[in-house]
Amino acid sequence: MFAKISQFKGHYMVHTGEKPYKCSECGKEYKTSCGLKNHKKSHFGTDKTHKCDLCGKMFSQTSGLRQHYMIHTGEKPFQCEICEKWFNKKSTLVVHKKIHTGEKPFQCETCGKCFNKKSSLVVHTKIHVTGAKVHECDVCGKKFSNTSTLKQHYMIHTGEKPYECEICGKRFNKKSTVVKHAKIHTGEKPFQCEICEKRFNQKSSLVTHMTIHQTTDILKCAECGKEFKSSLALRGHKKIHFENTRVHKCDFCGKMFAKTATLKQHYMIHTGEKPYECEICRKSFHLPSELKKHYVVHTGERPYECEVCKKRFNHKSSLLAHMKIHTGEKPFQCDTCGKRFNKKSTLVTHMKIHENTKVHKCDECGKTFSESSVLKKHYLTHTGEKPFQCEICDKRFRYNSSLKQHHMIHTGEKPYECEICGKRFNKKSTLVNHTTTHVHAKLHKCDVCDKKFTQKSHLKEHYTMHTGEKPYECEICQKCFNYKSSLTKHIKIHEKEKVHKCDDCGKTFHYPSALKQHYMTHTGEKPYECEICRKRFNKKSTLVNHASTHVHVKIHKCEVCQKIFSKKESLKQHYLTHTGERPYECEMCEKRFRTKSALLQHSKIHATGLASVWKCSDCGEEFKSSTTLWRHRRTRHSQC
């Protein structure tokens, strides 16, 4: 309802579209004479008499100047009743409300598409006008329909970024981009999903998210049959089938891309540029999505849970990859050898075995690698450089991953748990090896002694005992070993690195497990008990050997003296008495022994600072070994 008939007539023109007042200068039409009068002032610059005190901009009306002041003051007097967002213009609020109502009154006469703003319709109609793109870029030849868009485009070539974030100082070439970026610092997420109530800081992210809930209208690729939930995803996928869409070429490796943005991201691989830095640990990344994923490491958040084993993950992709362990699904197959994998990344790594892609060659030894990063790590083996140092014990490492693994020794962290017995480990590889102890299938059999193994690699190592092969050589003393682990342990003799010290006697050890075992000699702890005679031991291996004494079945017979044994290892040890072989040699004095235990006992003679470890509590006499002390007490103090 209207109070005056003139107001009613003016309103009626909204529905009829009538604009009776036309500008004689440019031909633009208006509904009211007041609107035409205000417009005519734009043709005469002398009418702008009202000046802004802050930036010097001129205005033809005081109302225009008053509206402009709000940009400097930040005043926004008009609030949306639905989402409580504020605006500095009533007209902007009216347009904004159409987002909530879904109203789109402006329709394109050519294609029927609707818009909530007239300005959006005007921009859209230029798509249908032939030859509307008259503004051409002098640098790349791209054409635009208006000068403002061309001006914005020029910034890509000049590198100009006039809009700066007030919080972190990052610069952008669009005002809208800096507004979106600011929401990262404020944490503002104004766009909420009506179904699951999840919030987003960008409308486009909400639109993409909504496709998760839309289970209907599955879109299928006509070329390969792959299904997608959104038309955008399908459109992006179709580019794979058409090579002519990849027009942007990398100058370094020749790889083609469909978008300049994708090429720009790809260039970072060659330049090593990582512009996205973590504020907590200063680690850098190529993409913002990678940085977002990385943040979960610091927060410890693991929102995705496996329904089968209840294990939790920090990324949905990790959960999906984990689920394939339970289903046994391996959808990725190698075209060359037919081997299947449950991850695409594992397949890509595997494919390099068949391809001659090892183009990065080591200048020292001639070894080739498929990636420059792997070659860079390899160089450290020649230079001996160990750039990563432990802050607790000062031990140095070649790789950051090795340092992280080492830190778990000090923290006691064991993140890998056995699902069967609950035992925990600090290495995934150790867990994998451990799980085989629960599986009784030993499929790999030795042809020489019939011993069986759960893993082929263990059988391969075992064969070296029969062949006498010792492929692992110490670079310092040239001593050879048949196991890599034996060489690693041996090297520590030269390094003299024993960081784990006993608080009682001062003896040091290479490993925390050895120190833990040693402590039992002081505490007298014997945690392993024989179920038959209740005798206790401080080592599980000693208990296992003892248990065989209760078993009266002796099936292993010596061919020389006919003596029989309950264990094959005991028979093997016994044979040495006939052959005279002494396989265990002392590294200090080259004396040889039949058993490893005899060698270990002997080595204490050479060890410094250990002459007075074993002391008699009755007479105070000191001994080099517990065995000698035991003999002394039996002969001298047996009657005490």
Side-chain angles (χ1 to χ4, degrees):
M1 300 294 289
F2 298 90
K4 296 180 181 179
I5 193 167
S6 59
Q7 291 175 340
F8 172 71
K9 285 181 179 180
H11 167 77
Y12 205 71
M13 291 179 187
V14 175
H15 301 291
T16 60
E18 184 183 357
K19 293 180 180 180
Y21 301 97
K22 189 174 182 179
C23 176
S24 57
E25 297 291 332
C26 64
K28 199 171 184 179
E29 296 176 341
Y30 294 89
K31 294 171 188 173
T32 61
S33 59
C34 183
L36 175 61
K37 186 179 178 180
N38 288 332
H39 164 74
K40 279 188 174 181
K41 291 177 181 179
S42 64
H43 296 294
F44 306 100
T46 54
D47 288 335
K48 293 185 178 182
T49 56
H50 305 281
K51 186 179 179 180
C52 175
D53 301 332
L54 299 172
C55 64
K57 195 172 182 180
M58 302 293 291
F59 296 89
S60 56
Q61 295 180 351
T62 53
S63 60
L65 175 61
R66 192 165 54 247
Q67 185 69 51
H68 168 76
Y69 265 128
M70 291 182 184
I71 298 171
H72 299 295
T73 61
E75 184 185 357
K76 293 182 179 181
F78 304 100
Q79 186 183 26
C80 174
E81 296 172 355
I82 300 169
C83 66
E84 299 180 357
K85 194 172 182 180
W86 291 87
F87 301 89
N88 56 6
K89 288 184 185 178
K90 189 176 181 179
S91 59
T92 313
L93 173 61
V94 171
V95 172
H96 166 77
K97 280 186 176 180
K98 291 174 184 177
I99 296 171
H100 300 296
T101 60
E103 182 186 358
K104 293 183 179 182
F106 304 99
Q107 186 176 21
C108 175
E109 295 176 357
T110 309
C111 66
K113 193 173 182 179
C114 295
F115 301 89
N116 57 5
K117 288 195 281 187
K118 189 178 179 181
S119 57
S120 302
L121 173 61
V122 172
V123 173
H124 168 76
T125 52
K126 292 178 181 178
I127 299 169
H128 303 295
V129 179
T130 309
K133 294 185 177 181
V134 293
H135 305 282
E136 186 177 350
C137 173
D138 301 332
V139 182
C140 64
K142 195 172 182 180
K143 293 183 178 181
F144 299 89
S145 54
N146 54 64
T147 53
S148 60
T149 314
L150 174 61
K151 189 179 178 181
Q152 186 70 51
H153 168 78
Y154 266 129
M155 293 181 184
I156 297 171
H157 301 296
T158 61
E160 184 185 358
K161 293 182 179 181
Y163 304 98
E164 184 180 9
C165 174
E166 295 176 356
I167 299 169
C168 66
K170 194 172 182 180
R171 304 189 71 87
F172 301 88
N173 57 8
K174 286 184 185 178
K175 190 177 181 180
S176 59
T177 312
V178 78
V179 170
K180 286 179 181 179
H181 167 78
K183 291 174 184 177
I184 297 170
H185 301 295
T186 61
E188 182 186 358
K189 293 183 178 182
F191 304 99
Q192 186 177 18
C193 174
E194 295 176 356
I195 300 169
C196 66
E197 297 183 355
K198 192 173 182 180
R199 302 187 75 89
F200 301 89
N201 56 7
Q202 292 184 31
K203 189 179 179 181
S204 58
S205 303
L206 172 61
V207 172
T208 305
H209 166 78
M210 288 298 292
T211 59
I212 298 170
H213 302 296
Q214 297 167 0
T215 53
T216 56
D217 300 329
I218 297 295
L219 304 172
K220 198 172 185 178
C221 175
E223 299 290 332
C224 65
K226 195 172 183 180
E227 295 179 343
F228 298 88
K229 291 181 180 178
S230 68
S231 57
L232 182 67
L234 174 61
R235 190 161 63 246
H237 164 76
K238 279 186 174 180
K239 292 178 180 179
I240 298 170
H241 300 295
F242 305 101
E243 287 295 329
N244 57 352
T245 58
R246 298 188 177 187
V247 293
H248 305 283
K249 187 178 179 180
C250 174
D251 300 329
F252 291 96
C253 63
K255 195 173 182 180
M256 302 294 289
F257 297 89
K259 296 179 181 178
T260 51
T262 315
L263 174 61
K264 191 177 179 181
Q265 285 182 353
H266 169 77
Y267 267 132
M268 293 180 184
I269 297 170
H270 300 293
T271 60
E273 183 185 359
K274 292 181 178 181
Y276 304 97
E277 186 180 59
C278 174
E279 296 174 354
I280 300 169
C281 65
R282 299 301 174 190
K283 192 174 182 180
S284 299
F285 299 89
H286 294 299
L287 305 172
S289 58
E290 291 175 350
L291 175 60
K292 190 178 178 181
K293 282 184 177 181
H294 166 76
Y295 268 125
V296 184
V297 175
H298 299 295
T299 61
E301 183 185 359
R302 295 191 174 191
Y304 304 99
E305 185 181 55
C306 173
E307 296 176 356
V308 181
C309 64
K310 305 302 178 184
K311 192 174 182 180
R312 301 187 73 87
F313 299 89
N314 48 15
H315 302 307
K316 190 177 180 180
S317 57
S318 302
L319 172 61
L320 293 172
H322 167 78
M323 286 299 292
K324 291 172 185 176
I325 297 171
H326 299 296
T327 61
E329 182 186 358
K330 293 184 178 181
F332 305 100
Q333 186 176 13
C334 175
D335 297 330
T336 309
C337 65
K339 194 172 182 180
R340 303 186 73 89
F341 302 89
N342 57 5
K343 287 185 187 177
K344 190 177 180 181
S345 58
T346 314
L347 172 61
V348 171
T349 304
H350 167 78
M351 287 295 290
K352 291 176 181 178
I353 298 170
H354 303 296
E355 299 171 2
N356 293 321
T357 54
K358 294 186 176 182
V359 294
H360 305 281
K361 189 176 180 179
C362 174
D363 301 330
E364 299 288 335
C365 63
K367 196 173 182 180
T368 54
F369 300 89
S370 53
E371 295 178 19
S372 58
S373 59
V374 183
L375 173 61
K376 191 177 179 181
K377 284 183 177 180
H378 168 76
Y379 268 129
L380 298 176
T381 59
H382 297 297
T383 60
E385 184 184 357
K386 293 183 179 181
F388 302 98
Q389 186 176 14
C390 175
E391 296 174 355
I392 300 169
C393 65
D394 296 330
K395 190 175 181 180
R396 303 188 72 89
F397 299 88
R398 288 196 185 101
Y399 314 118
N400 192 26
S401 57
S402 302
L403 174 60
K404 286 180 180 178
Q405 190 70 53
H406 167 78
H407 265 302
M408 293 181 184
I409 296 171
H410 299 296
T411 61
E413 183 185 358
K414 294 182 178 182
Y416 304 100
E417 184 179 9
C418 176
E419 296 175 356
I420 300 168
C421 67
K423 195 173 181 181
R424 302 186 72 88
F425 302 90
N426 57 6
K427 285 186 186 178
K428 191 177 180 180
S429 58
T430 313
L431 172 61
V432 171
N433 290 333
H434 165 78
T435 51
T436 60
T437 60
H438 299 295
V439 182
H440 298 291
K442 293 186 177 182
L443 305 175
H444 307 283
K445 186 178 179 181
C446 175
D447 300 332
V448 182
C449 65
D450 296 333
K451 193 173 182 179
K452 292 181 179 180
F453 299 88
T454 53
Q455 295 183 32
K456 194 174 181 179
S457 58
H458 292 170
L459 174 61
K460 191 176 179 181
E461 282 190 342
H462 168 76
Y463 267 130
T464 59
M465 292 177 63
H466 300 296
T467 60
E469 183 186 358
K470 294 183 178 180
Y472 303 99
E473 185 180 2
C474 174
E475 295 177 356
I476 300 169
C477 66
Q478 282 72 52
K479 190 173 183 179
C480 296
F481 300 87
N482 50 5
Y483 299 129
K484 189 176 181 179
S485 58
S486 302
L487 173 61
T488 304
K489 286 182 179 180
H490 166 77
I491 287 172
K492 291 186 177 180
I493 296 170
H494 300 295
E495 293 176 353
K496 294 180 180 178
E497 183 184 1
K498 292 183 179 182
V499 294
H500 305 282
K501 187 177 180 180
C502 175
D503 299 329
D504 293 324
C505 64
K507 190 176 180 180
T508 54
F509 298 88
H510 291 301
Y511 309 105
S513 58
L515 174 60
K516 189 178 178 181
Q517 186 70 51
H518 167 76
Y519 267 130
M520 293 180 185
T521 60
H522 297 295
T523 61
E525 183 185 359
K526 295 182 179 181
Y528 304 100
E529 185 182 47
C530 176
E531 296 177 355
I532 300 169
C533 67
R534 301 303 175 187
K535 192 173 181 180
R536 303 185 71 88
F537 302 90
N538 59 4
K539 287 185 183 179
K540 190 177 180 180
S541 58
T542 312
L543 171 61
V544 171
N545 289 331
H546 165 78
S548 63
T549 60
H550 297 294
V551 181
H552 299 290
V553 181
K554 295 184 178 182
I555 56 173
H556 304 283
K557 189 176 182 180
C558 175
E559 296 175 357
V560 180
C561 65
Q562 310 305 314
K563 192 174 182 179
I564 54 174
F565 299 88
S566 57
K567 292 168 70 177
K568 194 171 184 178
E569 288 77 8
S570 301
L571 173 61
K572 189 178 178 181
Q573 191 68 49
H574 168 74
Y575 267 129
L576 300 177
T577 60
H578 297 295
T579 61
E581 185 183 356
R582 293 173 181 259
Y584 301 97
E585 184 182 12
C586 175
E587 296 174 356
M588 301 292 181
C589 65
E590 298 183 359
K591 191 174 181 180
R592 304 186 72 86
F593 299 88
R594 287 198 189 100
T595 61
K596 189 177 182 180
S597 59
L599 171 61
L600 291 172
Q601 190 66 43
H602 164 78
S603 62
K604 292 178 181 178
I605 297 170
H606 301 292
T608 56
L610 298 179
S612 59
V613 170
W614 307 100
K615 190 174 183 179
C616 179
S617 58
D618 294 315
C619 65
E621 193 174 347
E622 296 176 348
F623 300 90
K624 295 175 183 176
S625 68
S626 58
T627 309
T628 316
L629 171 62
W630 177 77
R631 285 174 185 169
H632 163 77
R633 288 180 60 81
R634 188 180 63 178
T635 55
R636 297 286 180 88
H637 307 290
S638 59
Q639 294 179 355
C640 293

